[in-house]
Amino acid sequence: MGEALKGLKRTVMCGELRENSIGNTITAMGWVQKKRNLGGLVFVDLRDRTGLLQVVFGEEINEDAFTKADTVKSEYCIAVTGKIVKREAPNENMPTGMVELLGENIKILSESETPPIYIKENLDAGENIRLKYRYLDLRRPDMQKIFMIRHKTAKVIRDFLDEKGFLEIETPILGKSTPEGARDYLVPSRNFNGKFYALPQSPQLLKQLLMVSGFDKYFQIAKCFRDEDLRANRQPEFTQVDMELSFVEEDDVILLNEELIKKVFKEIAGVDVKTPIERMPYKTAMEKYGSDKPDLRFGMEINDLSEVVKDTEFKVFKDTLENGGSVRAIKAEGCGSMGRKQIDKLGDFVKTFKAKGLAWIAVKENEIKSPIAKFFTEEQLKSIVTAIDAKVNDLILIVADKDNIVFKSLGELRLHLAKEMELLKNNKEFRFVWVTEFPLLSYNEEEKRFQAEHHPFTMPMDEDIKYLESDPGRVRAKAYDIVLNGEELGGGSIRIHETDLQEKMLKVLGFTKERAWNSFGFLLEAFNYGPPPHGGLAYGFDRLTMFLASTENIKDVIAFPKNQNAACVMTEAPNVVDDKQLDELGISVLKEEN
Amino acid sequence: MGEALKGLKRTVMCGELRENSIGNTITAMGWVQKKRNLGGLVFVDLRDRTGLLQVVFGEEINEDAFTKADTVKSEYCIAVTGKIVKREAPNENMPTGMVELLGENIKILSESETPPIYIKENLDAGENIRLKYRYLDLRRPDMQKIFMIRHKTAKVIRDFLDEKGFLEIETPILGKSTPEGARDYLVPSRNFNGKFYALPQSPQLLKQLLMVSGFDKYFQIAKCFRDEDLRANRQPEFTQVDMELSFVEEDDVILLNEELIKKVFKEIAGVDVKTPIERMPYKTAMEKYGSDKPDLRFGMEINDLSEVVKDTEFKVFKDTLENGGSVRAIKAEGCGSMGRKQIDKLGDFVKTFKAKGLAWIAVKENEIKSPIAKFFTEEQLKSIVTAIDAKVNDLILIVADKDNIVFKSLGELRLHLAKEMELLKNNKEFRFVWVTEFPLLSYNEEEKRFQAEHHPFTMPMDEDIKYLESDPGRVRAKAYDIVLNGEELGGGSIRIHETDLQEKMLKVLGFTKERAWNSFGFLLEAFNYGPPPHGGLAYGFDRLTMFLASTENIKDVIAFPKNQNAACVMTEAPNVVDDKQLDELGISVLKEEN
């Protein structure tokens, strides 16, 4: 059993001490990072959230303290009182390295067994053990830094939005299950057996109702939930910076958020974000980068060769073009001498995105090398090379297929090659782009129906509204995503605020009027009472923190994350519960798995 | 269909306009509070979140605008552009009453049907219709004010804690079901059929683990959940201002929170809270006020008459005292002439708290009147009157029973009488008190076992720790509640941070070692690795907002509250879900209720 504080007060944090504290008697508390007994002196590196401080215990300083200090081990929690003195051999690698603490008194507040993981930066330990002993993993300085960044980021965002007149308003976690989203987490009701709450996937409809209520500007740093199979960097519960504004159009939301982004990246990461941020219509993003979240930190844009190759005899290209597809290519600079095997691998890569194959043309000093050269005249080959502006030693990679397959496969190939070619090595850039003019709807081949590209509450663009029923695929939305380095940081839209239009939209999505009202009646009804035009945006706060903290693992920015099976390794949630609990909820377990 | 903004920007908020804006051309947007056509002029009171602005439309100002303005009705959402002029007949009841807006242009952004409730302050409408049309209820200025207060309160708290070095760290909503609390809301797992997550009742254990992690000072404005039958002013989900600090004792937590309380009440309500706040041991609170949340805004303390009456012949008192009970009384000043019927009602009142009866003594000018007078000598009667310092026309109300019944019934009677006597009418005081030295455990008669008074992680007081196993009921805790005007605003404690002591505590609560480790193993294990001494506190944020916003209904401070059946009247949550959803979760509904 450890010693009690009994009135002992901490007076400083370890990492703050500098030469101006020399001569002060202080009390520090923290953990033993390291202890050494060197020639009759005990040295302890004492660690708290702010850093390390060297403490020296010696018989000449205080014999009792020295004796006790010699018993401590790594991760013991101790309190030390003594005088700060100048360090004889300064350690310039430590911010406190010019001083040390002469230990006159030590309390061992609690002892520690040998921890199962090292408490140090850049730990190379398995994920499972890190998650099981999360409380120790979080003790590591790099993890502590991340949560300081996360805290500060939320603070900067809240301060900014408060200053702009936004009100943070909490919306319920026990909500209603509505169709058209991802899979809901359900909560059985005890009062109404057989009925269920759903955990919110976002506060979308409620924030819209807050606009109907005249709150004018709302925000919330809100927990959201999706019961989906977890891909990398997905968690069942995640945090959104969610906002909604009344009396606005796209530009208002975008400009405000550019100001916010600028502030956050400056204050947290010291990065100057240039505004206005580039805007790119969805169509351009797809055509040039094969993605609605283009990474603009490097070129290698997609080129359309359809026009150039339309008169060749190459059947693959001809057929593709005749069937309404396209022939497009990217140029891998300096890859002209890539070996056949490597290129075959790239072919396999694009096939995972349903491309039928990958054609290639290598530009050599004196020749143009390509397995499909024989189908082209020399002039045709040259015009391809010219069209894509290829130079000696460039490799042209071509996919011919339906547009969506061409875009997807070349877009992914572009990213893949950038990684292989290490184009982004040491690149510290934060490259933002707004992607705009998204399609309102996309056709779901499996379900044979249109579905909302963002969500069913997105306003169509004025000039396209007339096609909503006649040609839904053609309608563009008043939607915008903010993309950073090829990842979606956030997205939003101007919303529908009219009952008729909202009903029409739901009808296009296949809702009968009855089902529309059963699911979204409260919203449709609310629009009867003078709704203001409104729109908003939501950021993935976890992802934002990942960028600011320079980590690529979402688990690093969540204090107690779930593993790939949505389980908490530390607490062992989910777990079995008492039958009595299930009885009260009126449910029974049909099948059990472990 | 309403008109679109098409680039029209709002330039001002309605409620901000003053004489210094005269001459400016502005654009305001909001809702029609009232429209009148008076002698060829249309007057519209335009409302937004900030207040009302009078707009005048006339043929002479702009004919088109006048004609259109004449078509608007209450709650239409409109945008008006025009010049601010001095009002000829100022309205001093309106902050903007010195000016008006000459409407040169009006857009009707959306129309409104006649709302089912009035959009006005102090609405007298049924709760059900208010909840069903919550988006309209929230449009009312008094409701809007509440959410501005709530937002600002959270902001002040966050700023304060940030400045003090606290980190806001989010803990999961999908947690583990643990025993010893209230009933959990459960979430069936799709990955592990037959297992369940639980929504957290508080982040208690996780915040303790954050202390083990060395985060030093944590806070969170956190959603918490309890699936209990809803009493008035309870909601299934509620918000806690939750904090935890390392290397602290009771005093540290208390002093910090006095600073916080002072700041919040000053900045939000303009109230000066005197610090240090009075502290009162639990025992005193029970003996003097019959409550662990004493309302100190008025006197009427409980007096112990046991000593005074111990030698009387009155059997009821004698038996009570012989059986270890007590005889105690309160004095209702000026109630000496209360009628028999009224006093009988008070007797019925105390019986609802299990008291067997209520004895009374009325002090008259020349006599002492009491139905039990015959059992006492005149001297004995006088000594009772003296003991309680009763004056002419005071009424002494006596209960003789086991202590806990005496305290409860006289404590409640005291509050009841204060209400009847209107002692707190027009009382604007905020009277705080810390209640300390709570019992660690209380005996649950039904379950025939001890249970934790606060929770099983509370540290016993040093001097009582030795009784933990031999005489658990005697052990006091390092716990403290902050009480305001007779309501618990928050509470906390210093926590156990030793595996052995925590195991012992769980054993006293009836846990086998196996069950203790199954339930709380992650905490017990964490304490093996140098845990710091730590403690914390949590405020009910909803209740805090109720005080600051001067409302007595918790539903007023929650944007989308549930009704008494834990249902949302507006969205109709909870609701039935598809069988497919239940299949995936491996559960089935046994019984259905509606």
Side-chain angles (χ1 to χ4, degrees):
Chain A
M1 183 159 154
E3 294 176 83
L5 290 170
K6 302 229 178 206
L8 184 67
K9 307 275 183 208
R10 175 171 62 178
T11 63
V12 294
M13 298 296 281
C14 295
E16 290 167 357
L17 291 161
R18 297 290 182 278
E19 284 178 292
N20 59 6
S21 295
I22 288 172
N24 295 352
T25 293
I26 60 104
T27 299
M29 304 188 186
W31 287 266
V32 175
Q33 179 70 32
K34 202 163 64 179
K35 187 205 78 178
R36 292 146 299 163
N37 186 330
L38 297 176
L41 289 176
V42 168
F43 291 88
V44 167
D45 283 351
L46 186 65
R47 188 194 66 237
D48 67 19
R49 188 176 98 179
T50 61
L52 292 172
L53 173 67
Q54 174 161 295
V55 191
V56 190
F57 297 92
E59 287 184 338
E60 311 240 318
I61 302 165
N62 182 300
E63 202 178 329
D64 288 349
F66 168 78
T67 310
K68 204 197 273 183
D70 203 20
T71 69
V72 307
K73 293 178 189 158
S74 286
E75 299 310 318
Y76 274 38
C77 183
I78 63 174
V80 186
T81 303
K83 194 177 276 182
I84 294 293
V85 298
K86 193 173 166 65
R87 192 156 158 184
E88 276 176 35
N91 179 347
E92 292 189 359
N93 296 322
M94 251 168 105
T96 64
M98 300 300 287
V99 300
E100 62 189 4
L101 170 60
L102 300 186
E104 291 159 25
N105 206 329
I106 174 172
K107 282 197 180 198
I108 296 176
L109 301 174
S110 66
E111 301 183 355
S112 176
E113 294 180 6
T114 305
I117 57 171
Y118 285 110
I119 311 300
K120 64 166 195 179
E121 307 221 348
N122 303 314
L123 178 71
D124 182 25
E127 182 171 279
N128 218 48
I129 196 160
R130 286 182 56 198
L131 290 177
K132 181 165 162 54
Y133 297 96
R134 186 62 168 179
Y135 42 86
L136 295 177
D137 192 37
L138 289 174
R139 216 180 254 184
R140 300 188 303 106
D142 39 3
M143 292 301 279
Q144 300 230 324
K145 252 172 247 150
I146 289 175
F147 288 92
M148 292 182 208
I149 288 173
R150 188 174 173 121
H151 162 77
K152 201 174 159 199
T153 305
K155 184 78 174 59
V156 170
I157 292 171
R158 282 195 165 97
D159 289 351
F160 175 86
L161 292 173
D162 174 73
E163 205 176 292
K164 294 287 181 187
F166 284 76
L167 300 178
E168 185 161 25
I169 299 177
E170 296 170 57
T171 54
I173 298 292
L174 294 169
K176 184 189 186 184
S177 184
T178 51
E180 287 303 293
R183 194 186 286 108
D184 283 321
Y185 276 105
L186 298 180
V187 181
S189 160
R190 187 172 53 88
N191 288 326
F192 301 95
N193 283 175
K195 294 189 174 183
F196 295 80
Y197 305 95
L199 305 185
Q201 296 182 27
S202 95
Q204 184 60 36
L205 299 182
L206 296 175
K207 72 175 175 173
Q208 291 189 237
L209 290 181
L210 290 173
M211 295 303 101
V212 175
S213 296
F215 279 110
D216 210 278
K217 296 198 192 90
Y218 142 97
F219 85 101
Q220 188 181 191
I221 300 191
K223 274 287 175 73
C224 303
F225 305 83
R226 280 183 201 165
D227 187 7
E228 294 294 345
D229 297 322
L230 299 187
R231 287 184 273 152
N233 285 333
R234 280 279 181 90
Q235 284 278 311
E237 63 183 287
F238 54 98
T239 304
Q240 247 178 231
V241 177
D242 191 44
M243 67 178 77
E244 195 78 7
L245 302 77
S246 294
F247 304 112
V248 294
E249 297 176 291
E250 295 101 305
D251 244 23
D252 303 297
V253 181
I254 286 178
L255 292 178
L256 176 96
N257 277 282
E258 289 188 354
E259 215 181 313
L260 173 59
I261 288 167
K262 206 178 174 76
K263 190 171 175 92
V264 167
F265 277 79
K266 182 70 189 172
E267 293 200 12
I268 306 297
V271 171
D272 285 305
V273 176
K274 266 204 202 119
T275 51
I277 289 168
E278 179 177 354
R279 298 188 199 180
M280 187 181 287
Y282 171 88
K283 189 162 176 283
T284 309
M286 294 308 287
E287 286 178 354
K288 286 180 73 174
Y289 302 96
S291 168
D292 59 359
K293 38 186 189 185
D295 190 338
L296 304 188
R297 288 175 299 171
F298 63 97
M300 217 193 295
E301 289 91 349
I302 299 170
N303 281 259
D304 190 351
L305 301 181
S306 304
E307 194 60 31
V308 183
V309 303
K310 75 174 193 299
D311 297 323
T312 66
E313 290 307 303
F314 187 37
K315 200 171 172 319
V316 176
F317 288 1
K318 267 186 82 161
D319 288 356
T320 299
L321 293 172
E322 274 164 19
N323 291 321
S326 62
V327 180
R328 297 176 200 253
I330 58 175
K331 175 182 68 180
E333 289 180 13
C335 294
S337 51
M338 193 183 271
R340 187 64 183 250
K341 255 192 183 161
Q342 264 179 293
I343 297 180
D344 284 350
K345 271 192 191 160
L346 299 181
D348 293 341
F349 179 83
V350 296
K351 281 179 192 158
T352 63
F353 303 100
K354 296 188 185 162
K356 283 186 286 287
L358 183 70
W360 58 270
I361 298 172
V363 185
K364 304 276 184 182
E365 189 77 47
N366 294 310
E367 59 165 340
I368 293 173
K369 207 176 148 190
S370 170
I372 56 168
K374 58 188 168 204
F375 302 109
F376 300 89
T377 64
E378 194 167 326
E379 199 162 331
Q380 284 170 335
L381 274 180
K382 274 190 182 153
S383 65
I384 292 175
V385 172
T386 306
I388 201 166
D389 193 25
K391 302 278 182 295
V392 170
N393 209 27
D394 287 353
L395 178 68
I396 303 169
L397 297 159
I398 310 170
V399 173
D401 219 310
K402 284 184 209 156
D403 271 351
N404 60 345
I405 292 176
V406 174
F407 292 149
K408 181 71 181 165
S409 52
L410 283 180
E412 293 289 344
L413 182 61
R414 175 178 174 268
L415 296 175
H416 179 74
L417 278 169
K419 213 175 280 175
E420 299 242 309
M421 294 160 70
E422 298 191 334
L423 294 185
L424 291 172
K425 205 180 169 182
N426 302 321
N427 184 317
K428 299 277 182 205
E429 199 182 349
F430 287 89
R431 186 67 183 271
F432 290 89
V433 56
W434 288 104
V435 178
T436 60
E437 298 181 28
F438 275 84
L440 182 69
L441 300 147
S442 59
Y443 195 72
N444 184 324
E445 294 284 352
E446 269 173 57
E447 300 185 18
K448 301 279 175 222
R449 67 171 187 110
F450 279 100
Q451 63 188 20
E453 180 79 13
H454 272 66
H455 55 57
F457 315 104
T458 305
M459 180 78 99
M461 282 175 66
D462 300 336
E463 53 268 53
D464 294 351
I465 236 173
K466 55 180 173 284
Y467 305 117
L468 185 54
E469 287 174 295
S470 58
D471 188 2
R474 178 174 179 173
V475 180
R476 289 165 302 160
K478 293 187 179 176
Y480 33 79
D481 275 3
I482 180 73
V483 172
L484 169 55
N485 293 356
E487 299 214 50
E488 185 195 327
L489 198 60
S493 62
I494 300 301
R495 328 298 184 183
I496 296 170
H497 65 277
E498 283 150 7
T499 311
D500 287 355
L501 184 57
Q502 187 64 68
E503 281 188 315
K504 207 174 281 179
M505 177 72 181
L506 291 169
K507 193 175 156 195
V508 173
L509 296 173
F511 281 68
T512 61
K513 186 153 180 168
E514 192 196 348
R515 183 152 168 263
W517 277 82
N518 275 343
S519 302
F520 303 110
F522 56 100
L523 183 75
L524 294 166
E525 170 121 36
F527 288 165
N528 286 331
Y529 300 102
H534 61 282
L537 186 137
Y539 295 92
F541 186 57
D542 306 299
R543 185 162 293 169
L544 175 62
T545 309
M546 287 162 67
F547 272 111
L548 293 167
S550 300
T551 174
E552 296 191 347
N553 186 346
I554 195 173
K555 294 193 190 81
D556 285 345
V557 301
I558 294 177
F560 300 103
K562 303 287 192 291
N563 70 8
Q564 294 299 99
N565 295 318
C568 174
V569 178
M570 182 185 72
T571 60
E572 296 179 335
N575 216 316
V576 291
V577 297
D578 291 345
D579 287 343
K580 187 181 160 228
Q581 290 174 277
L582 301 185
D583 280 352
E584 289 181 316
L585 300 174
I587 60 171
S588 70
V589 169
L590 284 184
K591 34 179 182 170
E592 288 183 31
E593 283 166 34
N594 240 313
Chain B
M1 185 158 154
E3 294 176 83
L5 290 170
K6 301 229 177 205
L8 184 67
K9 306 277 182 205
R10 176 171 61 179
T11 64
V12 294
M13 298 297 280
C14 295
E16 291 167 355
L17 291 160
R18 296 291 182 277
E19 283 178 291
N20 59 7
S21 294
I22 288 172
N24 294 353
T25 293
I26 59 103
T27 298
M29 303 188 188
W31 286 265
V32 175
Q33 179 70 33
K34 203 163 65 178
K35 188 206 79 179
R36 294 147 297 165
N37 186 331
L38 298 176
L41 288 176
V42 168
F43 291 87
V44 167
D45 282 352
L46 186 64
R47 188 193 68 237
D48 67 20
R49 188 176 99 178
T50 62
L52 291 173
L53 172 67
Q54 173 161 296
V55 191
V56 190
F57 297 91
E59 288 185 336
E60 311 241 317
I61 302 165
N62 182 300
E63 203 180 327
D64 288 349
F66 168 78
T67 309
K68 206 196 272 183
D70 203 20
T71 69
V72 307
K73 294 178 189 158
S74 285
E75 300 310 318
Y76 274 39
C77 183
I78 63 174
V80 185
T81 303
K83 194 177 275 183
I84 295 292
V85 298
K86 192 170 168 65
R87 193 154 155 184
E88 275 177 36
N91 179 347
E92 291 189 358
N93 296 322
M94 251 168 106
T96 64
M98 300 300 286
V99 299
E100 63 189 2
L101 171 59
L102 300 187
E104 290 159 26
N105 206 330
I106 174 172
K107 280 195 180 198
I108 297 176
L109 301 173
S110 66
E111 301 182 355
S112 176
E113 293 180 9
T114 304
I117 58 171
Y118 285 110
I119 310 302
K120 62 164 195 180
E121 305 222 348
N122 303 314
L123 178 71
D124 182 25
E127 182 171 279
N128 218 49
I129 196 161
R130 284 182 58 198
L131 291 177
K132 180 166 163 56
Y133 296 95
R134 186 62 169 178
Y135 43 87
L136 294 177
D137 193 36
L138 289 174
R139 216 180 254 183
R140 300 189 303 107
D142 39 3
M143 292 301 279
Q144 300 232 323
K145 250 173 248 152
I146 290 174
F147 288 91
M148 292 183 208
I149 287 173
R150 187 172 174 123
H151 162 77
K152 200 174 160 198
T153 304
K155 184 77 174 59
V156 170
I157 292 171
R158 283 196 165 97
D159 288 352
F160 175 87
L161 292 172
D162 174 73
E163 205 176 292
K164 294 288 181 186
F166 284 76
L167 300 179
E168 185 161 24
I169 300 177
E170 295 168 57
T171 53
I173 297 293
L174 294 170
K176 185 190 185 183
S177 185
T178 52
E180 287 303 293
R183 192 185 290 109
D184 283 322
Y185 277 104
L186 298 180
V187 181
S189 160
R190 187 172 53 87
N191 288 325
F192 301 96
N193 283 175
K195 295 190 172 180
F196 295 79
Y197 305 95
L199 305 186
Q201 296 181 29
S202 93
Q204 183 59 35
L205 300 180
L206 295 176
K207 72 175 175 173
Q208 290 190 237
L209 291 180
L210 290 173
M211 295 303 99
V212 175
S213 297
F215 279 110
D216 210 278
K217 296 198 193 92
Y218 142 96
F219 86 100
Q220 188 181 190
I221 300 190
K223 273 287 174 75
C224 302
F225 305 84
R226 280 182 203 166
D227 187 9
E228 294 294 345
D229 297 322
L230 298 187
R231 287 183 273 151
N233 284 335
R234 279 279 181 91
Q235 283 279 309
E237 62 183 287
F238 53 99
T239 305
Q240 247 179 231
V241 178
D242 191 45
M243 67 177 78
E244 195 78 8
L245 301 77
S246 294
F247 305 111
V248 293
E249 296 176 293
E250 295 101 305
D251 244 22
D252 303 298
V253 182
I254 286 177
L255 292 177
L256 176 95
N257 278 281
E258 289 188 355
E259 215 181 312
L260 173 59
I261 287 167
K262 206 178 173 75
K263 192 172 174 90
V264 167
F265 277 80
K266 182 71 190 171
E267 292 200 12
I268 307 296
V271 171
D272 285 306
V273 177
K274 264 203 204 123
T275 50
I277 290 168
E278 179 177 355
R279 298 187 199 180
M280 187 181 287
Y282 172 87
K283 189 163 176 284
T284 310
M286 294 309 288
E287 286 177 355
K288 287 180 73 175
Y289 303 97
S291 167
D292 59 359
K293 39 186 186 183
D295 190 337
L296 304 187
R297 287 174 299 172
F298 63 97
M300 219 194 294
E301 288 92 349
I302 299 170
N303 281 261
D304 190 351
L305 301 180
S306 305
E307 195 60 31
V308 184
V309 302
K310 73 175 193 300
D311 297 323
T312 66
E313 288 308 304
F314 188 38
K315 200 171 173 315
V316 176
F317 288 2
K318 267 186 82 160
D319 289 356
T320 299
L321 292 171
E322 274 164 20
N323 292 320
S326 62
V327 179
R328 297 176 200 253
I330 57 174
K331 174 183 68 180
E333 289 180 13
C335 294
S337 51
M338 194 181 272
R340 188 65 183 249
K341 254 192 184 162
Q342 264 181 293
I343 298 180
D344 283 350
K345 270 191 190 162
L346 300 180
D348 293 341
F349 179 82
V350 297
K351 282 178 190 159
T352 62
F353 303 100
K354 295 188 186 161
K356 283 187 285 289
L358 182 69
W360 57 270
I361 297 172
V363 185
K364 304 277 183 182
E365 190 77 48
N366 294 312
E367 60 165 340
I368 293 174
K369 206 177 149 191
S370 171
I372 58 169
K374 58 191 168 203
F375 303 109
F376 300 90
T377 65
E378 194 166 327
E379 201 162 330
Q380 283 172 333
L381 274 179
K382 273 192 185 154
S383 64
I384 292 175
V385 171
T386 306
I388 201 167
D389 194 23
K391 302 278 183 295
V392 169
N393 208 27
D394 286 354
L395 178 68
I396 304 170
L397 297 158
I398 310 172
V399 173
D401 219 310
K402 285 185 207 154
D403 272 351
N404 59 347
I405 291 175
V406 174
F407 292 149
K408 181 71 182 166
S409 51
L410 284 180
E412 293 289 345
L413 183 60
R414 175 179 175 269
L415 296 175
H416 180 74
L417 278 169
K419 213 175 280 174
E420 298 243 309
M421 294 161 70
E422 298 191 333
L423 293 185
L424 292 172
K425 205 181 168 181
N426 301 322
N427 184 318
K428 300 278 181 204
E429 201 181 348
F430 287 90
R431 186 67 183 272
F432 290 89
V433 57
W434 289 104
V435 178
T436 61
E437 298 181 27
F438 275 85
L440 183 68
L441 300 147
S442 59
Y443 195 73
N444 185 324
E445 294 285 353
E446 268 173 58
E447 300 185 18
K448 300 281 175 222
R449 67 172 187 109
F450 279 99
Q451 62 188 23
E453 180 79 12
H454 272 67
H455 55 58
F457 315 103
T458 304
M459 181 78 99
M461 282 175 65
D462 299 337
E463 52 269 53
D464 294 351
I465 235 172
K466 54 180 174 284
Y467 306 117
L468 186 54
E469 287 172 296
S470 58
D471 188 1
R474 179 173 178 173
V475 181
R476 288 165 302 161
K478 293 188 179 175
Y480 32 80
D481 276 2
I482 180 74
V483 172
L484 169 55
N485 293 356
E487 298 214 51
E488 185 196 328
L489 198 59
S493 63
I494 300 300
R495 328 297 183 182
I496 296 169
H497 66 277
E498 282 150 5
T499 312
D500 287 354
L501 184 57
Q502 187 63 69
E503 281 188 315
K504 207 174 282 179
M505 176 72 180
L506 291 169
K507 193 175 156 195
V508 172
L509 296 174
F511 282 68
T512 61
K513 186 155 180 167
E514 193 196 348
R515 183 152 169 264
W517 277 82
N518 275 342
S519 301
F520 304 112
F522 56 100
L523 183 75
L524 294 166
E525 170 120 38
F527 288 164
N528 286 331
Y529 300 102
H534 61 282
L537 185 136
Y539 294 93
F541 185 58
D542 306 299
R543 185 162 294 170
L544 175 62
T545 308
M546 285 162 67
F547 271 112
L548 293 167
S550 300
T551 174
E552 297 191 347
N553 186 346
I554 195 173
K555 294 194 190 80
D556 285 346
V557 302
I558 293 177
F560 300 103
K562 303 285 193 291
N563 70 7
Q564 293 299 100
N565 294 318
C568 174
V569 178
M570 182 185 72
T571 60
E572 297 179 336
N575 215 317
V576 292
V577 297
D578 291 344
D579 287 343
K580 186 180 161 229
Q581 290 174 278
L582 302 184
D583 279 352
E584 289 181 317
L585 300 173
I587 60 172
S588 70
V589 169
L590 284 183
K591 34 180 181 168
E592 288 183 33
E593 281 167 35
N594 239 315

